[in-house]
Amino acid sequence: MGKEHNVTKSSFEYKRSLKERISDSRYELNRKIFYGKPNKKASHINERRKRLFFITAMLAIPALNWLIFWLFVNVQSFMLAFQDPRTGSLTLDNFAEVWEFVTSPINNELGISLMNTLKYFGTSVLIVMPLCLVVSFFFYKRIFGYKVFRIIFYLPAIISSVVMVTAYSEFVSPTGPLGAIQRAFGMEVNPVSPLSRSETATNTILVYCVLTGLTTNVLLFTSGMSRIPIEVLEAAKLDGVGPARELCSIIFPLIWPTFSTQFIFALTGIFNSSGPILLFTNGGYNTSTIAFWIFQKLYGTTGQGPSIGAYNLVSALGLCCTVIGVPLVLFARKLTEKIDSVEY
């Protein structure tokens, strides 16, 4: 009985497979009659066209954005730098005026702005970035309460700048908490806020930039540290390596690509380094930077009313900064690339 069942089953499968083969043959015959032989070359060309169309469609928007908002703007700025604002003729007077603004002993606004800009850049590179590295290391080591501190350090990136500046201004004022602490220790309190004195205003804003600058860099450095193999740190721990040696000799070399990239990015914006000058002092008390000076020349006010946008002067200054900044960035990049990155 079982043998007959197997024979019936195998014959059924044979008939089914035979029908399928006949059906496939009929399908191939009909396709050859009505459609001809498949053209593999044409199919490959159509595939390449579809891929090219997809890539073009994806790159069209960023390419258009670059052409309009970078290339066109920079070409116009380059032309304005060599153009007389009154007659429109070619001239080098704009560069001479920039030099006068830098070297003038009477009204040396641009010279003061340049020095303040370098102060902000130096603070960012020499203080904020190393401090971000240390804070990131403590977060990476998961110290007690690190989750709470991570939120606290990132709050300045979430809270409005107006709120942060107002709170800091009230804190450092003579009637604020800082003045109360000074009185509690028997120190003399100046009745004028440090933000309203030329000798202390810039340094006070620099302290604010340090306190609120531990945001994005901390996230990037912590992310870079999280990729380090745990076996490396365990081996260092067995060898008796302390936290300071671990940070300087192991962690820092392993995250060097991240650190060097952030340094190059900071260097590309050396002449844009600034703080919330508009919110703190509106450029007064010798706190102006190059970025704020440009803003004042374009949209600021004078004693006679709103100022006329000095686009030619600002374009000449921007071209000078570019001529100085580009070789500096390329040289720094070459130096950083000489340090070999550790693959892991």
Side-chain angles (χ1 to χ4, degrees), residues 4 20 77 83 88 116 157 182 187 194 202 273 318:
E4 294 178 357
E20 289 177 352
S77 299
Q83 194 176 62
N116 289 338
Q182 290 176 326
M187 301 171 62
T202 298
S273 302

Short mmCIF file of all heavy atoms in Angstrom, two decimals, residues 4 20 77 83 88 116 157 182 187 194 202 273 318:
data_model
loop_
_atom_site.label_atom_id
_atom_site.label_comp_id
_atom_site.label_asym_id
_atom_site.label_seq_id
_atom_site.Cartn_x
_atom_site.Cartn_y
_atom_site.Cartn_z
N GLU A 4 2.58 1.70 -3.47
CA GLU A 4 1.70 2.29 -4.49
C GLU A 4 1.54 3.78 -4.27
O GLU A 4 1.50 4.57 -5.21
CB GLU A 4 0.34 1.59 -4.46
CG GLU A 4 0.40 0.13 -4.88
CD GLU A 4 -0.97 -0.53 -4.77
OE1 GLU A 4 -1.90 0.19 -4.32
OE2 GLU A 4 -1.08 -1.71 -5.11
N GLU A 20 5.26 22.47 -15.65
CA GLU A 20 5.99 23.71 -15.40
C GLU A 20 7.04 23.97 -16.48
O GLU A 20 7.20 25.10 -16.94
CB GLU A 20 6.67 23.64 -14.02
CG GLU A 20 5.69 23.72 -12.87
CD GLU A 20 6.40 23.58 -11.53
OE1 GLU A 20 7.61 23.27 -11.54
OE2 GLU A 20 5.73 23.79 -10.50
N SER A 77 31.97 89.72 -3.42
CA SER A 77 32.82 90.33 -2.39
C SER A 77 34.20 90.66 -2.93
O SER A 77 34.77 91.70 -2.61
CB SER A 77 32.93 89.39 -1.19
OG SER A 77 31.67 89.14 -0.62
N GLN A 83 36.67 97.96 -5.67
CA GLN A 83 35.76 98.91 -6.32
C GLN A 83 35.58 100.15 -5.45
O GLN A 83 35.43 100.05 -4.23
CB GLN A 83 34.41 98.23 -6.54
CG GLN A 83 33.49 98.96 -7.48
CD GLN A 83 32.22 98.15 -7.73
OE1 GLN A 83 31.45 97.87 -6.81
NE2 GLN A 83 31.99 97.76 -8.97
N GLY A 88 32.58 103.49 -8.58
CA GLY A 88 32.54 102.13 -9.11
C GLY A 88 33.76 101.74 -9.89
O GLY A 88 33.81 100.65 -10.47
N ASN A 116 41.18 91.66 20.32
CA ASN A 116 40.12 90.94 21.04
C ASN A 116 39.78 89.63 20.34
O ASN A 116 39.52 88.61 20.99
CB ASN A 116 38.88 91.81 21.16
CG ASN A 116 39.06 92.96 22.13
OD1 ASN A 116 39.92 92.92 23.01
ND2 ASN A 116 38.27 94.00 21.98
N ALA A 157 23.82 75.21 25.45
CA ALA A 157 23.45 75.05 24.05
C ALA A 157 21.94 74.96 23.86
O ALA A 157 21.45 75.08 22.75
CB ALA A 157 24.10 73.80 23.48
N GLN A 182 32.20 88.70 47.56
CA GLN A 182 33.35 89.57 47.84
C GLN A 182 33.18 90.28 49.18
O GLN A 182 34.14 90.40 49.96
CB GLN A 182 33.51 90.59 46.71
CG GLN A 182 33.99 89.98 45.40
CD GLN A 182 34.05 90.99 44.28
OE1 GLN A 182 33.24 91.92 44.21
NE2 GLN A 182 35.03 90.85 43.40
N MET A 187 36.31 91.84 50.97
CA MET A 187 36.95 92.45 49.81
C MET A 187 36.19 93.71 49.40
O MET A 187 34.98 93.82 49.60
CB MET A 187 37.00 91.45 48.64
CG MET A 187 37.74 90.17 48.96
SD MET A 187 37.57 88.92 47.66
CE MET A 187 38.32 89.76 46.27
N PRO A 194 31.87 94.99 36.16
CA PRO A 194 33.06 94.74 35.32
C PRO A 194 32.74 94.76 33.83
O PRO A 194 33.65 94.94 33.01
CB PRO A 194 33.52 93.35 35.77
CG PRO A 194 32.33 92.74 36.44
CD PRO A 194 31.58 93.87 37.04
N THR A 202 36.24 92.89 28.46
CA THR A 202 36.58 91.78 27.57
C THR A 202 36.94 90.52 28.34
O THR A 202 36.49 89.41 27.98
CB THR A 202 37.76 92.19 26.66
OG1 THR A 202 37.37 93.30 25.85
CG2 THR A 202 38.17 91.04 25.76
N SER A 273 36.26 84.52 15.43
CA SER A 273 36.15 84.23 16.85
C SER A 273 35.58 85.44 17.58
O SER A 273 36.05 86.56 17.43
CB SER A 273 37.52 83.87 17.43
OG SER A 273 38.08 82.77 16.75
N GLY A 318 37.76 91.36 4.48
CA GLY A 318 37.58 89.93 4.34
C GLY A 318 38.62 89.29 3.44
O GLY A 318 39.11 88.19 3.73
#
